[in-house]
Amino acid sequence: MDALNSNHELMKHSSFHNTNNPLDPEEFRRQGHMIIDFLADYYLNIEKYPVLSQVQPGYLRKRLPESTPYNPESIETILQDVQDHILPGVTHWQSPSYFAYFPSSGSIAGFLGEMLSTGFNVVGFNWISSPAATELESIVMDWLGEMLQLPKSFLFSGNGGGVLQGTTCEAILCTLVAARDQMLRRIGSQNMGKLVVYGSDQTHCSLQKAARIAGINPSNFRAIKTTKRTSFSLSPDSLRSTIYEDIDAGLIPLFLCATVGTTSTTAIDPIRSLSDVAKDYGLWLHVDAAYAGSVCICPEFRHVIDGVEGANSFSLNAHKWFLTTLDCCCLWVKDPSALIKSLSTNPEYLKNKATDSRQVVDYKDWQLTLSRRFRSLKLWFVLRNYGVAKLRDFLRSHVNMAKLFEGFVTSDKRFEVVVPRSFAVVCFRVLSPGMGKAASNANGTTTNGHTNGVNGHVNGHANGKGDDHDHNYMKEASTNELNRKLLESINKSGLVFMTHSVVGGVFVIRFAVGATLVEEKHVITAWKVVQEHANAILISENY
């Protein structure tokens, strides 16, 4: 009897008392409310957590059991472990003091759309597998394309079309494969080894990865050097001369990736001029606007993608700066058939009347994988719940906060903005005492991670000026190390989180505004943190 009573109590307190139905509606309701409450409390208290996780590698294995529990555990127990063990290892991307990498902005609309998508859990690989998933995606991609004033040739209404990929990495690989196959159909597969892919030394590393996966000869990947004089944008003249050299060597230009908002400095490649070069040599031009594309819904920023009508494809990440949760990369193409010819499959078990009618889109043929999520729901929720006006205000507020931080940097003679701010990212550094801003800018003709100061270091000896160049070279190296220490100290504080890059041999600290919850007070606090840690380091290092 005692054992029976004990078992009864166990079942009464277990969240699995309706144990045979993993989707019991009432239990789902109860546990779902608990998760929502947990997340609401998380956002209420998010500023109490260190922005950058302070744990050491391997911390979690020491805290959790070595194997799966044999008996069910309650949601209450699991959530307590999330609080005690998971949260300490989370870097809080949604913190208002998160200024690292690029933002991953979330929103209630984005979260709820994601929840609904997960709840339906459809696998919308073709139209018939869930018609709403396909048709909503096509509608939403046309909506957003119109907001961006994309040429009609990129929209379904103009014989182009859009698709939601997971990330830009997938978008670039899909378009590169389409370009490759399109070219090989013309010149023969035996010429595969001659194909050349072009970007700049600031282009995202996903281009090189995609080229490798697509079978492009590694020696035929071109990362064309950029300079500070052009704010690290890709020079059409440099591109043209590189292409000319390749053609002269018997190679075949294939693909160019131009970027609007590069990762390191948010540099802007000149799309119109580059599209002219691409047209002259028959390259597929992809425009990667993963970060900055979102802000182009604002009329005052639309000019940065002028010339996009000359591109073959265009993509942006709505999960970066558009209140839509990861993953949601928006890709538009002028010629969907190029994707379909390279990526389609038609096994017997997927054949159906709708596909045979050629009146529907089967998105499985626009992407790498067969299975696909109902991503369009969350983007649809965001577009409807916020509207164009509110989305523009959201983006503009971040640009204005970045301008505020930029003003703080320029007003302190110990610091400098290394490259001009384009959007909501400020690239700055602290200067070694004695290194004036004018002197540091004089070393700005830099390329591909090596300063002209280094070349001057060598050439200066021949000209009898070696001592000055030695001094400048050592000063730059010292300043880079100073900024490494500054950034590490700032991030260890847990008060804010920023990341870095190296451009033209110069170590820059990136201050990226874009968290959904960020306000001016957080930007002001961040600048105070920067100043305090700079003061401490400059004193301790005897600068």
Side-chain angles (χ1 to χ4, degrees), residues 178-180 182-184 186-187 195-196 198 239-240 243 247 252-256 274-286 310 312:
R180 178 199 67 189
Q182 192 176 70
M183 179 67 76
L184 292 179
R186 294 206 305 265
I187 65 174
L195 301 180
V196 187
Y198 301 87
L239 172 65
R240 192 178 291 274
I243 291 174
I247 293 175
I252 301 170
L254 171 68
F255 188 93
L256 167 64
L274 293 173
S275 68
D276 290 341
V277 179
K279 183 179 180 180
D280 288 345
Y281 294 99
L283 281 80
W284 180 298
L285 172 59
H286 176 74
N312 300 82

Side-chain angles (χ1 to χ4, degrees), residues 95 100 177 221 223 290 424 526:
S95 169
V177 167
F221 179 81

Side-chain angles (χ1 to χ4, degrees), residues 461-476:
H461 286 286
N463 295 326
K465 300 178 180 178
D467 289 344
D468 288 342
H469 287 289
D470 282 345
H471 177 75
N472 289 338
Y473 178 75
M474 295 302 294
K475 204 71 174 175
E476 283 287 356

